[in-house]
């Protein structure tokens, strides 16, 4: 079956032109320093564990309903079928949504509720009936899809924010990180599920896995709130700095004069200051050079933007010269 997919992949995958470009330095380090990567990877691990813990535990749990091997296989198929059917829907929703992280939190919460009913949990005091297990498996398959589908998009968005190029190398890195987290979950899930099922039974096992999903959802939600708050704080700081730059530009005066050698120059100084001077040795490389006086601020004019650090008036003899270009 795997060999049959080779010609299909060759036909479907686009041809890649090998263009030598200068790699961006530090992009991967910025990617792995972002805490969002580890939060999403832990979510992937938990989801894969929930999927994997059913492999050694669900079949013994269904024996109490006297089902044939074919019926047990259909129940396993139900879990995969609901996952496959709902995946395109959640994928379309994730593409339209502005924030896909919320979908992961919702998927984890629904998965936790489905696992509580699957046992059923001894805390719910629900009867052990077959239809409850069928409904729980169907909901669980769809909720796992809801929590898992946006994870790749989230990691890819983090890579773009880290400055990584939009090419096959970035996709390979993100796919490797995603696959590593999922594979680790596939190892942890069956091991933890088999251990808990042998010691405490399936109801306690599913309750523990439900608790892991719900705790992960809470931690993820807290992280999102803190992250959004920090983003808003950074935006406010940037807006304040932008207003300060505009105010600094408005407070500086520019006068054009000619030096003794006949070269045109601009003199730039704060509007509140009357002291002016210039350095005739400064080079003129296509842009006019000016010098600011009258404040204790350090300023640089680059592309018509002035960056100033808290201007304060000082005595005339203490006024430093400030080289700027306009």
């Amino acid at each position: 079956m795997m060999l049959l997919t080779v010609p299909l992949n060759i036909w479907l995958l686009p041809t890649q032109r090998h263009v030598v470009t200068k790699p961006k330095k530090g992009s991967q380090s910025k990617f792995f320093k972002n805490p969002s990567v580890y939060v999403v990877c832990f979510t992937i691990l938990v989801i894969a564990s929930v999927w994997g813990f059913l492999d050694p535990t669900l079949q013994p749990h269904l024996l109490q309903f006297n089902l044939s091997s074919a019926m047990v296989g259909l129940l396993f198929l139900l879990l995969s079928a609901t996952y496959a059917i709902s995946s395109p829907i959640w994928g379309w929703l994730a593409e339209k949504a502005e924030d896909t992280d919320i979908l992961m939190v919702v998927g984890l919460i629904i998965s936790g509720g489905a696992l509580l009913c699957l046992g059923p949990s001894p805390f719910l005091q629900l009867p052990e009936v077959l239809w409850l297990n069928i409904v729980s498996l169907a909901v669980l398959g769809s909720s796992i899809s809801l929590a898992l589908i946006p994870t790749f998009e989230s990691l890819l968005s983090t890579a773009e924010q880290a400055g990584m190029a939009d090419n096959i190398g970035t996709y390979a890195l993100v796919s490797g990180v995603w696959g590593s987290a999922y594979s680790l979950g596939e190892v942890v899930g069956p091991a933890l599920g088999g251990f808990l099922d042998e010691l405490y039974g399936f109801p306690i096992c599913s309750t523990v896995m439900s608790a892991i999903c719900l705790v992960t959802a809470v931690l993820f939600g807290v992280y999102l709130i803190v992250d959004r708050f920090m983003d808003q704080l950074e935006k406010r700081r940037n807006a304040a700095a932008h207003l300060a730059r505009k105010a600094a530009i408005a407070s500086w005066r520019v006068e054009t004069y000619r030096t003794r050698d006949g070269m045109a120059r601009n003199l730039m100084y704060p509007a509140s200051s009357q002291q002016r001077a210039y350095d005739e040795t400064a080079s003129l490389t296509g842009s006019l050079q000016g010098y600011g006086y009258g404040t204790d601020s350090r300023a640089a004019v680059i592309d018509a933007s002035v960056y100033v650090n808290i201007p304060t008036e000082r005595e005339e003899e203490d006024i430093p010269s400030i080289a700027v270009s306009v």
Side-chain angles (χ1 to χ4, degrees), residues 33 37-38 40 48 54 60 71 73-74 106 127-128 138 148 163 203 206 214-215 231 296 303:
K33 287 180 181 178
V37 174
Y38 302 98
V40 174
L54 293 173
M71 289 299 299
L74 287 177
V106 174
E128 294 188 4
L148 190 61
S206 62
L214 296 176
V215 170
D231 286 344
D296 187 28
D303 295 334

Side-chain angles (χ1 to χ4, degrees), residues 45-56:
L45 186 150
V46 170
I47 297 170
S49 299
V50 170
W51 189 280
F53 102 96
L54 293 173
D55 291 340

Side-chain angles (χ1 to χ4, degrees), residues 231-248:
D231 286 344
Q232 292 296 326
L233 186 61
E234 185 67 21
K235 290 180 180 179
R236 291 179 181 178
R237 290 176 179 175
N238 293 336
H242 178 68
L243 292 177
R245 289 195 294 268
K246 293 180 65 176

Side-chain angles (χ1 to χ4, degrees), residues 226-260:
V226 174
D227 185 59
R228 300 301 181 270
F229 174 78
M230 296 302 295
D231 286 344
Q232 292 296 326
L233 186 61
E234 185 67 21
K235 290 180 180 179
R236 291 179 181 178
R237 290 176 179 175
N238 293 336
H242 178 68
L243 292 177
R245 289 195 294 268
K246 293 180 65 176
I249 294 174
S251 65
W252 284 64
R253 298 174 59 186
V254 179
E255 290 185 3
T256 303
Y257 64 95
R258 292 191 177 276
T259 61
R260 287 192 294 268

Side-chain angles (χ1 to χ4, degrees), residues 164-241:
M164 300 183 66
D166 186 11
N167 54 25
I168 193 67
T170 300
Y171 297 144
L173 175 65
V174 173
S175 298
V177 173
W178 191 96
S180 298
Y182 191 87
S183 298
L184 182 60
E186 286 187 324
V187 173
V188 173
L192 180 61
F195 174 77
L196 293 175
D197 185 51
E198 183 176 359
L199 292 181
Y200 306 105
F202 186 81
I204 296 296
C205 179
S206 62
T207 302
V208 171
M209 299 305 297
S210 172
I212 293 175
C213 288
L214 296 176
V215 170
T216 303
V218 171
L219 295 178
F220 201 168
V222 172
Y223 169 77
L224 291 179
I225 294 174
V226 174
D227 185 59
R228 300 301 181 270
F229 174 78
M230 296 302 295
D231 286 344
Q232 292 296 326
L233 186 61
E234 185 67 21
K235 290 180 180 179
R236 291 179 181 178
R237 290 176 179 175
N238 293 336

Side-chain angles (χ1 to χ4, degrees), residues 268-301:
M268 190 173 189
Y269 58 93
S272 61
S273 173
Q274 299 300 324
Q275 181 168 348
R276 299 163 241 178
Y278 60 89
D279 181 5
E280 295 187 19
T281 62
S283 61
L284 185 65
T285 57
S287 61
L288 297 175
Q289 302 293 321
Y291 298 86
Y293 301 89
T295 67
D296 187 28
S297 56
R298 295 182 296 275
V301 181

